[in-house]
Amino acid sequence: MSVAALAHPRMRAWPKVARDSLRLALWSAYEIAEATGGVASGDFQCSGVEMDSRDVRPGDLFVALKGEAMDGHRFIDKAFAAGAAAAIVDRPIDWPHVLVEDTTAALHALAAAARTRGEATRIAVTGSVGKTGVKEAIFSALDRASRGQAHRSVRSYNNHVGVPLSVARMSPRARYGVFEMGMNHAGEIAPLADHVQPDVAVITTIAPAHIENLGSLEAIADEKAQIFTGLKPGGAAIIPADSDQFERLKAHAEAAGAEVFSFGRADHARVRLLDAIPAANGGASLVTAQIDDTRLCYSVAEPGEHWIANSLAVMACIYAVGGDLGAAGIALGEMGGLKGRGARHAIAAAGGRALLIDESYNANPASMRATLTQLGQTPASRRIAVLGAMGELGEFSTRFHEALLEPIEEGQVDYAVLVGDAMEPLVRKMGTAHANGLGNPPAFAHCAGPAEAIAALEEFGLNAGDAILVKGSNAVGLGRLVDHFVSRS
């Protein structure tokens, strides 16, 4: 007797939808060739798309990209040794492949095909601070509500290669796609928005990240607002109501024909914070917000004022796509910190355990202030801050590094480890304050790199009950310090 015959009548009568007829494989040889204008060497199917041979998993399509200093064709054998099913190449190889003229153009074409072959509602997220966390929270909310039918860009795949790669990985079965977009220079956001062509575009905040290249906060706002140029007709723009650049962002959104969903504490915010009660132990916050005529109450697992604002952006996005606000509340209440972006670790210390807060992936003046404020609200016997230099500040570097003294003092830091040459202005200012008896700056050490910072922390000694914040631009390499203390625990 067949399985179908044994099935309950209601199961046999389960309604079918168009998505059920779609193949489970992500890409077939025919689909890749049709999308890219290439020639397939034979028939095959692929379950994923990858551009780095070190990350290839069995069944992946390996795209042999060519850059100024690197040619992916050199790693073809490694990709297939790792289990690649096929490759996109610009020269014939002995493995299954699709032959194209330009592999980068082929990746873009594959992304365009992925975008048009499905019916996923697409969301693009950018901002000076918080875009990765907000992207993850939006994904978590939509994935929960759609029972696993949401897609997102992984890690920080948010540049001219990462965005089309992330779109090319989206299954035609996906109901939602959430994509992060970053930039360092003017003119970079618009092409990314064109790859995604989102239904909803989110800007988390505007802060002096990359101000070295852009020159002013107004220029940063103008560049971030280019995300609206890719919006589908009738799309939604999610923008921070409390930002000094609100009117500028709103003008860009309205010029693109977007419906504006502003979020924040301001009276004019469409998604407006009514109340936020942080937990006594520095943990989750209880948030009450108003969205049009709907009032919400939910918890946010990630601590800090910045995450209260992030949660409003998430709720605005879910509301804009007609999603499940209850599922979004649950997702925000369950989210843990991401590696390098708020992950918390209990590490070995004299007499027991200390708390290490890993914010080692990125840093700018706004995020430094926010995390130091949160450190000051975290219950601890001593508060220690390991701060790496902030990058891409240009002529503003001295001023912004010196200005860290105030949030360090307000964060009640007992000991600071300052890492990198760009920290020298802050070192001088802290030393002067000590000499003149001004303020109450903490004891500190100035280190050239992560190895010296590790030695400085070990010499200082970690005790049970300490809270250690590790934050800096990724180029400083403080992730090595985090790995050192976490791995020994």
Side-chain angles (χ1 to χ4, degrees), residues 288-301:
T288 305
Q290 187 81 25
I291 304 180
D292 289 342
D293 58 354
T294 301
R295 182 165 293 192
L296 300 173
C297 187
Y298 57 92
S299 62
V300 181

Side-chain angles (χ1 to χ4, degrees), residues 13 17 26 32 47 61 99 119 126 150 154 163 173 195 220-221 235 257 287 300 303 330 334 336 386 388 448 460 484:
V17 295
L26 182 62
I32 298 167
S47 57
L61 170 69
L99 183 63
E119 299 179 352
T126 193
V154 298
V163 170
R173 291 172 170 263
H195 281 306
I220 293 171
V287 176
V300 181
I330 295 172
E334 293 181 347
V386 182
F460 179 73
H484 171 83

